Amino acid sequence: MIGGGFIGSEIAAALAMNGKEVVMIFPGKDIGDRVFPPPLAQFVSSFYRQKGVEILAGEEIVGLETRGNLHVLKTSSFREIVVDGVVAGVGIEPNVVLAQSAGLEVENGIVVDESLRTSHPDIYAAGDVAAFYNPALGKRIRVEHEDNANTMGRLAGRNMAGKSEAYHHLPFFYSDMFDLGYEAVGEVNSRLETFTDWKRPNEEGIIYYLQNDRVRGVLLWNVWEQVEAARQLIAEPGPFTVKDLEGKLPANLPT
Ligand SMILES: Cc1cc2nc3c(=O)[nH]c(=O)nc-3n(C[C@H](O)[C@H](O)[C@H](O)COP(=O)(O)OP(=O)(O)OC[C@H]3O[C@@H](n4cnc5c(N)ncnc54)[C@H](O)[C@@H]3O)c2cc1C
C-alpha cells in the first residue's frame, strides 16, 4: 500500500482483515499524521503493527518494476519490496481541464459562488472539483468527501432548477480503520494547535483544532452523533481556550 492517508489506512486495514500480508509505505512519520496530532498518529502506527501490518515510514517509492507475476517496489532508501499487488492512495488533483477550456475561473478547483454557480451564470459545479466559500471557516475550501459531494450536488441541482439557496454546509467525513472509527468536521490539520480530550486514551475522545482562539475543526474519535454539535462549535466566534473545550463535547442537542 503506497500512502498513509485516508485511502492508504482504510485499504491497508481492509486487506489485513482479509488475511493479506500488507506493507504500508509512505513519506510521513506515522499513519495519518497530516490529520492526527503526533501522539495519536504514533498510536495508530503501533496499532497497525500489532495487527500485522508492516510499516515503512519515511520512505518514498521511486520505481516500480514487474517481474513475472510479481512487482518490485523501489524506495528512496534503495530498498526493494517484492509484492503480489500494489495499491496507490497518493491523493488526487481535480481535473479542471474542461472547465479551463470553457473559460471558467479555476483556482484550486472550479470557483463557485454560494449558489454553486461558476463564473459562467449557466454553469454550476459541485463535489470534489468545486472550490466554495464556507462562512464558518471564513475561507474558500475544496473538499474531497462524500457528504460534501452529495449535499452540494443536491443543492446545485435545486438552484439550477430555479431555487436560490446558499451552500453553507460544513461537510463531515468518516473513516474506519480495523475497529477504530472516527468522524471529522472542518479543518482537521495536525499543523494547527490541537487539544485532545480523551474519555479513554486512544479509544474514545475528541480532538479540537484551534487557530486564533477559534475552533477550526473537530475530530470525533469513536464518538458518534456529535457532528452537528461540532459544526455549531466551529461556527461560534469564540474566543476559546483549551480549558473552555474540556468536556465541551459530547453535547446534548435538541432533536
Ligand atoms: C478509494 C476511495 C475511498 C473513499 N472513501 C471515502 C470515505 O470513506 N468517506 C468519504 O467521505 N469520502 C470518501 N472518498 C471520496 C468520495 O468518493 C468523493 O468525495 C466523491 O466520490 C466525490 O464525488 P464527485 O461526484 O465530486 O466526484 P466523482 O465521484 O469522482 O465523480 C466524477 C464523475 O465525473 C466523471 N467525469 C469526469 N470528467 C468528465 C468529463 N469530461 N465528461 C464526463 N464525465 C466526466 C467521472 O468519470 C466520474 O464519474 C473516497 C474516494 C476514493 C477514491
Side-chain angles (χ1 to χ4, degrees):
M1 180 69 228
I2 309 173
F6 303 117
I7 302 291
S9 56
E10 284 195 7
I11 291 176
L15 288 169
M17 287 164 81
N18 283 280
K20 305 291 178 198
E21 274 179 58
V22 185
V23 188
M24 276 181 95
I25 308 161
F26 50 84
K29 261 190 169 165
D30 284 294
I31 294 172
D33 62 1
R34 285 194 290 182
V35 170
F36 308 140
L40 181 58
Q42 282 154 24
F43 163 77
V44 173
S45 292
S46 62
F47 182 79
Y48 270 62
R49 287 194 179 99
Q50 277 167 30
K51 297 278 183 188
V53 176
E54 186 182 345
I55 294 178
L56 299 180
E59 285 272 35
E60 269 178 67
I61 297 301
V62 294
L64 172 62
E65 253 175 43
T66 297
R67 294 183 198 152
N69 287 336
L70 298 174
H71 307 282
V72 183
L73 290 161
K74 298 177 181 197
T75 77
S76 43
S77 67
F78 307 105
R79 289 176 78 142
E80 289 200 344
I81 300 140
V82 182
V83 294
D84 297 303
V86 179
V87 185
V90 291
I92 67 158
E93 275 184 26
N95 183 347
V96 291
V97 176
L98 186 63
Q100 273 166 333
S101 64
L104 303 184
E105 189 186 347
V106 169
E107 197 192 301
N108 179 30
I110 302 172
V111 174
V112 291
D113 67 13
E114 64 174 12
S115 65
L116 307 181
R117 204 178 233 136
T118 67
S119 55
H120 188 293
D122 292 336
I123 304 177
Y124 288 69
D128 280 11
V129 82
F132 62 98
Y133 181 82
N134 179 267
L137 294 176
K139 63 178 183 182
R140 191 172 286 284
I141 56 174
R142 197 173 60 74
V143 175
E144 295 164 9
H145 293 297
E146 185 188 331
D147 171 37
N148 181 59
N150 289 338
T151 316
M152 213 178 179
R154 272 194 294 270
L155 194 131
R158 280 201 299 274
N159 284 346
M160 290 171 83
K163 294 260 187 230
S164 182
E165 293 173 18
Y167 188 64
H168 289 170
H169 182 66
L170 185 57
F172 88 103
F173 70 92
Y174 57 89
S175 188
D176 294 307
M177 304 175 293
F178 296 102
D179 45 357
L180 300 172
Y182 66 87
E183 293 178 332
V185 194
E187 251 187 303
V188 286
N189 179 342
S190 59
R191 282 178 299 185
L192 298 181
E193 184 192 350
T194 59
F195 167 60
T196 305
D197 194 6
W198 288 125
K199 194 167 172 197
R200 289 180 293 142
N202 297 323
E203 282 181 39
E204 188 183 340
I206 293 163
I207 296 140
Y208 300 89
Y209 298 74
L210 295 117
Q211 193 176 37
N212 301 330
D213 302 326
R214 281 191 68 165
V215 178
R216 312 307 296 162
V218 177
L219 191 139
L220 303 155
W221 189 259
N222 286 307
V223 172
W224 312 105
E225 296 177 6
Q226 289 297 312
V227 167
E228 200 41 54
R231 282 193 181 114
Q232 290 185 14
L233 191 60
I234 293 166
E236 280 184 36
F240 287 106
T241 65
V242 159
K243 256 195 161 14
D244 301 326
L245 295 171
E246 211 169 329
K248 188 91 180 157
L249 298 177
N252 286 323
L253 291 181
T255 46

